[in-house]
Amino acid sequence: MGRTCHDNNPKHGGIRQMSRNQLWLDACRNSSVNLKSECGVVLLDVEDLAKDGINRLLALLVGHELSHLKIFNGMELQCEISLPEMAVAICTFSIDGSPPGIAVGAGSSLYIYKNFKPYYKYNVPHGGPNYAEQAEITQLAALSRSTPDVSCSSLLLVGTGHNSLLIIDPQTFNAISRIELPDVPTSIKSSGYYDTEAVILIGTPEAGVFILRSDQKPIQAKPFLPPRSPIVEIAFNGTTVAIATSDHTIRYYTLQGQELRKIAVDTFILTITWIQSTNQELCLLAVSLANGQVHFYRQGILVEQLHFKTYIISMTFGRYGREDGTLVMVSKDGELFVKILNRGYKMAQQTDLKSNKSSVSICKKKALGPAKTKLFVDQTMREKEDPAKMYQLFQEGMCRLHLRALRDWLNLSSSTKADVEQFAEESRCLHLVAKLLGSGSRFMLHLLLQNISDQVIDSLTIMLQVNDGKLVLERSSAKISLMLPTAQHWIKINVKDPTNQGGEVSVIVRKDMEPDCELTVWGSIVCAAKINISPTI
């Protein structure tokens, strides 16, 4: 049947003996699925299409005249759909109260499928009086409309050959918005929620990369990166943008367009994708190369390689079947490879990995671990020689730190200002609202922090402290890495009052700063609030 589960040659991508700290576990290699494309392009996605807890694999085989959509349940082909045109993009989308749908862009039409059957054909509208023909679809993506507690529906982002981006509601198939672009969109990546603070990245062949933000009305494409070498692919994980170009380089950027690091490889880059596991606090960038290798980078450092007979043309990471952390790859010859992230993998143990000197430019400046300085060695020797004295010094340092924190809290408590107090110049940029819901011994504290300025605010820490009573907080702090202009951030914290005597909780929002030494703290207070909880009879 062409299915292999016992190939011991790692160059074939088959099963090999598992090491104690191996990143990937080989699940299966299958050549009988026949995923070879006429154009050499296969587009992959995984989604729970039947709402049965099993994520199925969607493979779109792009052809010059006919394209084929194959849907797999595990390794078994569940259905195959033929399209009468050359397809260019595929994505899945959600609609409240029904299973997810499939959207395929081909020609000037969107082909919509539900329950594994054709559902609707949507024709892209004309580009206006300047265009006599319908626009052809060039790219496609889905964007969540609202937060899950409001709605689970998605919107479709459709790039057209008339240099425009259409935002379409798949429930009514009406174009909510049309954004003009300087060039044809060939790559669309998005994150967030359209109704609050979505970020959309648009890659173009000649004009560079543009960014759109849904909280800025009207939505307009603003330059993100100037044109350089032709873009191979854009990978976006919500905070960091990775852009692979045809000059054998990958660059990391923040959402403000600041370059973080650069990776150079020896051959052409075919595709890239993010590998993220919240359970293992793992964030890697997978890079498929034309020499048959797949590299995995952590913060620009090469941590693992996979080798294949023929190069990988498409890959996707996510939940496949009932297994989380699955990497699905398709080779040029149409072979399907499935690998599972090792749950026992520990990134901290990778101290002997060699960074590729020719591939990672920043590795020459940064080592995998800090060098043991003379101060570190001397400190270790003192701890071994007189542990009691070192412990006493540690306790004295902790006492000084507590006293400093207590002094700041007392200064705050003695203030007679309103419930929401503002400190420093930056406080004019933030608005804090605190609401307490519930009765009895259990409460829910709702904190709303809003950026009311036209600037981006980053590195915020929200701290909570019980000033009076025997209240128990679910957590005492929360961090916000980035707040876009006019953005809102909700935080919900459970509060327990086991004695029913009430109490008082203080909330402080702090702007973090870089410490100038190990003993200095840490930032400035931006705003604060006090919440009084009345005794319960």
Side-chain angles (χ1 to χ4, degrees), residues 274-289:
W274 285 107
I275 307 293
Q276 290 186 288
S277 174
T278 55
N279 295 335
Q280 298 173 252
E281 298 182 352
L282 189 67
C283 183
L284 306 175
L285 184 68
V287 181
S288 174
L289 303 176

Side-chain angles (χ1 to χ4, degrees), residues 224-242:
F224 181 73
L225 291 175
R228 288 182 175 175
S229 299
I231 296 174
V232 176
E233 191 166 0
I234 299 175
F236 180 38
N237 63 1
T239 57
T240 305
V241 185

Side-chain angles (χ1 to χ4, degrees), residues 517-531:
C517 72
E518 294 182 356
L519 298 179
T520 59
V521 230
W522 309 300
S524 59
I525 296 176
V526 179
C527 57
K530 292 180 182 178
I531 300 95

Side-chain angles (χ1 to χ4, degrees), residues 361-415:
S361 60
I362 66 169
C363 289
K364 298 179 181 179
K365 301 179 182 179
K366 296 183 180 180
L368 291 177
K372 293 184 178 180
T373 62
K374 185 177 184 298
L375 179 62
F376 174 82
V377 175
D378 293 342
Q379 179 77 3
T380 304
M381 294 299 297
R382 287 195 297 268
E383 290 177 355
K384 291 181 178 180
E385 293 170 357
D386 195 352
K389 182 178 179 181
M390 295 303 299
Y391 181 75
Q392 182 181 358
L393 293 175
F394 169 77
Q395 290 293 335
E396 291 176 357
M398 288 298 298
C399 289
R400 286 194 295 269
L401 185 61
H402 289 161
L403 288 173
R404 180 180 298 177
L406 181 60
R407 181 184 60 192
D408 292 339
W409 281 108
L410 290 174
N411 293 336
L412 172 66
S413 301
S414 62
S415 176

Side-chain angles (χ1 to χ4, degrees), residues 201 209-211 222-226 241 243 253-257:
L201 292 167
V209 182
F210 295 84
I211 187 170
K222 297 182 179 180
F224 181 73
L225 291 175
V241 185
I243 300 179
Y253 297 92
T254 65
L255 284 177
Q256 289 72 42

